[in-house]
Amino acid sequence: MVNLAAKPILQVDAITMRFGGIVAIDNLSLDVKQGQILALMGPNGAGKTTTFHVIAGVHRPTSGRILFQGRDITNMRPDGRCTAGVARTFQITQPFEQLSVTENIMVGARPFHSSMADLRKASEVYAHKVGLGDKLDAPAKGLSTGQRKRLELARAMATRPKLLLMDEVTGGVDMKSIPGIIDLVKSLRDEGLTIVLIEHNMKVISELADEAVFMNRGARMVSGTPHEVATDPGVVELYLGEAKDGH
Ligand SMILES: Nc1ncnc2c1ncn2[C@@H]1O[C@H](COP(=O)(O)OP(=O)(O)OP(=O)(O)O)[C@@H](O)[C@H]1O
Ligand SMILES: [Mg+2]
C-alpha cells in the first residue's frame, strides 16, 4: 500500500485554464504521492485531458503552478518535462503511422542508447512488455485501437518516466484485453512508477487506484477511495444523468 503521507512527486497548485470564455480547469489542486496510482474521473468535458496537457506542458495555465519533485515546472517546455521524468499517453493515439511498432518505440527510447542495435533491442523489449511482441515490424497504421493504446504505453515507458499520465488507455479497447492492461499497469506500479490515470471503467479504477478524484466543470467535485467516489450520490446522479442523455 502506498504511504499517503509520502512527499508528493507532483503538485498541481490552484490551476485555472481558460480558453477564451471557457473555463476548462477551475482552481484545481492535486497532490500525487510517490508510488501512487491516482484516478482522475469525471464526465465528458470535465477538464481531465486539459489537466494532463497542463501537467505535460502543452498548455501554459492561466494561473496556478505545477511542481514536479518540488521544482516549479510551470514554464518548462514539454521536452524538458519529458527529460525530467513526466510521460503521457494520448486519449487520441498519435503514432507515426508509417513507422513500425519498434520504430515508434525507438523514438521514445533514443536518448538512452548510443548504438542503433541497442536502441532497437531495448525498444523490442518494451514492445514485448506491452504484448506487441508479434507486431514488431508491423506499421502503426494497421494496428487496432487496443494495439495502438499499447504502443502509446510502450513509447511512453521507453522515455523512462518517473510519472506516467495515462489518458483512457482502456477506452475503445475490447473487454478481453482489459485484464492484461490492468496487470501491465500493476507491474509498472510495482517497479516504482507513479501513475495518474484518466479512466471511465470503474472495474479498472477500483483494481488499480489508491485514490480517485472526480472532476466536474473543471473543478474537483469529490475525492476519496474509488469506492467512496463511485458511491457518492452527486457522482451517481451525474453518471445516471449522462446515461439518460444517451452517452
Ligand atoms: N484547445 C482548446 N480550446 C478551446 N476549448 C478547449 C480546448 N481544449 C479543451 N477545451 C474545452 O475544455 C473543456 C474540457 O475539455 P477536456 O478535453 O479537458 O475534457 P475531458 O474531461 O478530457 O473530457 P472527455 O471525457 O470527453 O475526454 C471542454 O469544454 C473542451 O471543449
Ligand atoms: Mg479527455
Side-chain angles (χ1 to χ4, degrees), residues 44-45 47-50 91 167-168 198 200:
N44 296 126
K48 305 178 298 294
T49 296
T50 306
Q91 181 172 4
D167 198 345
E168 299 199 23
I198 295 176
H200 287 293

Side-chain angles (χ1 to χ4, degrees), residues 45-59:
K48 305 178 298 294
T49 296
T50 306
T51 301
F52 274 12
H53 284 327
V54 170
I55 297 168
V58 177
H59 298 313

Side-chain angles (χ1 to χ4, degrees), residues 2 57 65 91 95 104 114 129 134 180 190 196 198 200 218 239:
V2 64
R65 295 184 313 160
Q91 181 172 4
N104 266 283
S114 48
K129 208 165 171 172
D134 58 344
D190 294 345
V196 185
I198 295 176
H200 287 293
Y239 271 140

Side-chain angles (χ1 to χ4, degrees), residues 12-19 25 50-51 53-55 57-66 72-76 81:
V12 172
D13 179 18
I15 290 290
T16 291
M17 180 79 230
R18 291 178 205 275
F19 298 104
I25 309 175
T50 306
T51 301
H53 284 327
V54 170
I55 297 168
V58 177
H59 298 313
R60 184 103 15 117
T62 311
S63 60
R65 295 184 313 160
I66 304 289
D72 189 335
I73 60 164
T74 318
N75 295 315
M76 194 185 270
R81 296 186 203 207

